[in-house]
Amino acid sequence: MKLLIVVSHLRRGGLVEVVYNLCQRLVNEKNIQLTVLSLRKEPAESRIEMFRALGIEVLSLNNSYFACELRSSLVRVRVQQIVNRYQIDVVHCHGYHPALACSGLVGVKKMTTLHDRATEDFINAFGPFLGRYMLYRYFHALADFDLNVAVSESGAELYRQFLDNVDYVNNGIDTEKFGLLADSERAAKRKRLQLPEDMTLFVTSGRVEREKRCEELVEFFAKKFQNKQVGLLVLGDGSRLESCRQIAKNCPNIIFTGRISNVADYLQCADYYVSYSKSEGMSMAVCEAIACGLFPVLSDIPSHIDVAKPIGGLLFKRIEDVDVNAVLSKRIDKKELHEYIDAHFSMVSMTHGYTNIYRRLCAE
């Protein structure tokens, strides 16, 4: 079977991390010949060489963002040429522009992974006018695919309101990279990372953007725990980072790392994970944290419920309603949390789900 995975670009981020995890496993599948296609010019922090290091042929069309948005039919012609030249059996798209570019391909089975909750995320990110225009194009394109795969059960429920051809495969993380540490190792790592050795640390990770409600989260910790032995560790960068820093300027218990590549190290040093996000497709950050043994304290959006409810995670509507003392007194079995993610949200289980779909499509 010849498989073509199509992405917008290979810049470091949640979607690309999922694709990389999938490719790591697919290269070991004897009956799958894998090629990756990037539609746009590779930006700074591209992971293209990491993909090539897996032994995968990676192609790039070097389009601009606007070419992918405004000239998707021309991009489609070039993708069709690659499909024909490589005699591709299955095209697997990830993201909005790949869906637009590949929806009209012929002579090949087409599937796409729905990494977001488009009806929420497009409006939040682009506003009501542009967001609705993009939604119209996106759903029109998705209707042409043989299968659309959501990244969670609640995501599938959302998309089934608009599309007939929807299935789901839970996103998966590298549970070896995101694992548990012995107490002695954890203490040594905290010291190495210059984190407070005797502070109870909540951590949040990912893009520091408005839809993540990071400012409200930082404000809650700034007011409730100023100069106390409970802290918040904010991992990541984004347009709201400076605003968050201003809110916490007199709070030594709130720590910002900016953009980092060693997220797992910081998660392994924390005690609890907290997110106040408005919307997520499937939060890889939450899965990574739980795999590191962190108890989840999460806003009650559908994708958070998918992951946290089976393990009794704390779900809340407003951050002000969280009873932190009740969280701190909760007994936590870190090994049980890791094993839960390993069984249901690992890159092994994810790859198994996708390979079954590839074979099913080829058999139709």
Side-chain angles (χ1 to χ4, degrees), residues 24-184:
Q24 274 189 292
R25 303 293 303 184
L26 288 177
V27 293
N28 297 317
E29 294 285 334
K30 294 180 180 179
N31 297 321
I32 295 179
Q33 185 176 329
L34 176 61
T35 305
V36 172
L37 172 64
S38 173
L39 299 182
R40 284 159 47 187
K41 295 176 182 177
E42 286 303 312
E45 299 184 348
S46 171
R47 301 191 70 184
I48 189 168
E49 294 306 324
M50 290 184 66
F51 278 80
R52 286 176 173 156
L54 295 175
I56 299 169
E57 182 174 8
V58 182
L59 310 174
S60 182
L61 296 186
N62 293 312
N63 290 293
S64 67
Y65 175 93
F66 292 104
C68 289
E69 182 65 33
L70 302 176
R71 299 178 181 177
S72 55
S73 59
L74 296 180
V75 177
R76 184 179 305 121
V77 170
R78 296 181 68 189
V79 178
Q80 184 72 64
Q81 290 171 345
I82 291 170
V83 167
N84 296 344
R85 186 186 320 139
Y86 283 76
Q87 298 180 313
I88 299 297
D89 298 299
V90 177
V91 171
H92 184 180
C93 296
H94 295 263
Y96 170 70
H97 282 147
L100 298 186
C102 296
S103 65
L105 297 177
V106 296
V108 66
K109 292 292 184 179
K110 306 184 295 292
M111 62 176 286
T112 188
T113 292
L114 310 166
H115 287 271
D116 50 23
R117 295 176 65 86
T119 54
E120 301 165 6
D121 295 343
F122 285 19
I123 304 298
N124 288 338
F126 299 101
F129 179 75
L130 182 57
R132 287 191 176 93
Y133 165 74
M134 293 173 66
L135 279 174
Y136 172 79
R137 295 192 72 197
Y138 192 42
F139 282 117
H140 181 74
L142 295 178
D144 183 63
F145 280 76
D146 296 287
L147 187 63
N148 297 291
V149 183
V151 295
S152 67
E153 187 173 4
S154 63
E157 291 172 358
L158 170 70
Y159 282 101
R160 282 173 183 145
Q161 298 176 48
F162 307 96
L163 299 164
D164 295 325
N165 50 344
V166 177
D167 201 343
Y168 80 93
V169 172
N170 287 328
N171 267 350
I173 66 163
D174 184 344
T175 51
E176 293 183 6
K177 177 180 178 182
F178 294 92
L180 305 178
L181 291 183
D183 289 343
S184 58

Side-chain angles (χ1 to χ4, degrees), residues 4 52 63 86 125 149 170 174 192 204 224-225 229 237 242 247 257 271 279 293 319:
L4 179 68
R52 286 176 173 156
N63 290 293
Y86 283 76
V149 183
N170 287 328
D174 184 344
R192 189 170 75 248
T204 188
K224 196 169 186 69
F225 298 109
Q229 289 304 303
D237 197 1
E242 188 54 40
I247 294 170
T257 66
D271 300 287
S279 178
I319 188 64

